[in-house]
Amino acid sequence: MGTQGSAHIVWDWNGTLFHDNDAIIGATNAAFAELGLAPITLEQYRALYCVPVPKFYERLLGRLPTDAEWELMDGVFHRHYTEHRVRCRLTEGAEDLLSGWRSAGHSQSLLSMYGHEDLVPLVRGFGIEAHFIRVDGRTGPSGGSKAEHMVRHLQALAGRVAPERTVVIGDAADDAVAARHVGARAVLYSGGSHSRVSLEGVGVPVVDTLAEAVAEARRMAA
């Protein structure tokens, strides 16, 4: 599995394979409370969220947060998220789709902007680690773009994965940006951090289920 030229999926984690919307919005509102911001709904979050994350806060504050504010909010967010992620589960059908893609002889990997040291045991705990030929979480500061992480991810898979036969499946515009950055393609899933309306302006296919995403990836990588 994972030979040069075969179809490959790079999966996103948060909001894609891992259905953690409730933990995300709770953690976001806990961070907002530190600056006296009113809580927002999931719908508002999905309409406004963007990367880099400080720009998301700018949309609500009317200005970029200071370095001290960002550090405070980021710390609160991650503490709250870690407490509440335990109630979250895989997106419906995800495990069967991972198994099916692998059984068909295709390869897949996981690249997340969630911290690597937290990501790996979480993936392992769901019993799905064996489906991936590589699992990478974020290293370094949070809040940035996935593009450079995608470069390193595919470099680590060089000789096993061809960018032109690779499809990134994620829930954020930044997933499509990262795919373009390495010469891959992307399919965006509307059930995560972005609304369908905001995703449709990105210029890549947008789907409402992971099953549709995999079917589209199969077509694109054929």
Side-chain angles (χ1 to χ4, degrees):
M1 184 175 70
T3 57
Q4 183 80 18
S6 65
H8 182 79
I9 290 175
V10 178
W11 289 95
D12 174 55
W13 180 246
N14 302 96
T16 304
L17 288 175
F18 189 43
H19 187 65
D20 60 349
N21 288 350
D22 289 344
I24 290 285
I25 193 65
T28 297
N29 282 331
F32 284 177
E34 292 296 322
L35 295 189
L37 291 171
I40 62 172
T41 65
L42 178 60
E43 290 71 24
Q44 289 171 316
Y45 177 91
R46 283 162 43 81
L48 295 171
Y49 181 72
C50 64
V51 173
V53 180
K55 294 290 290 182
F56 167 54
Y57 291 140
E58 182 182 24
R59 292 180 174 185
L60 294 147
L61 281 169
R63 59 174 176 81
L64 281 170
T66 66
D67 289 346
E69 288 171 335
W70 163 250
E71 185 174 348
L72 173 64
M73 295 171 79
D74 191 50
V76 170
F77 176 92
H78 283 98
R79 285 196 303 276
H80 185 97
Y81 179 83
T82 298
E83 291 173 7
H84 291 275
R85 73 180 188 197
V86 296
R87 294 196 294 270
C88 301
R89 297 292 178 260
L90 295 177
T91 300
E92 184 177 357
E95 191 166 1
D96 288 341
L97 291 168
L98 293 173
S99 178
W101 184 260
R102 183 185 181 198
S103 297
H106 305 307
S107 61
Q108 55 199 330
S109 58
L110 177 59
L111 175 61
S112 173
M113 293 299 283
Y114 193 44
H116 185 78
E117 298 304 317
D118 293 313
L119 174 70
V120 171
L122 188 54
V123 172
R124 189 170 295 149
F126 280 111
I128 59 173
E129 186 180 21
H131 293 308
F132 305 110
I133 60 174
R134 186 173 182 88
V135 174
D136 283 328
R138 172 185 48 78
T139 57
S142 62
S145 173
K146 186 179 271 189
E148 292 306 319
H149 295 270
M150 186 69 73
V151 170
R152 290 191 291 272
H153 185 71
L154 288 192
Q155 284 175 344
L157 296 173
R160 306 175 71 186
V161 171
E164 64 272 14
R165 297 292 309 283
T166 296
V167 179
V168 176
I169 297 179
D171 69 317
D174 192 50
D175 291 300
V177 172
R180 255 193 310 266
H181 193 66
V182 295
R185 284 169 285 187
V187 180
L188 298 180
Y189 165 61
S190 68
S193 62
H194 283 45
S195 67
R196 173 177 262 280
V197 170
S198 64
L199 293 176
E200 285 175 341
V202 177
V204 303
V206 179
V207 298
D208 297 321
T209 69
L210 293 189
E212 291 175 289
V214 170
E216 187 68 18
R218 185 179 294 111
R219 183 192 67 77
M220 295 169 82

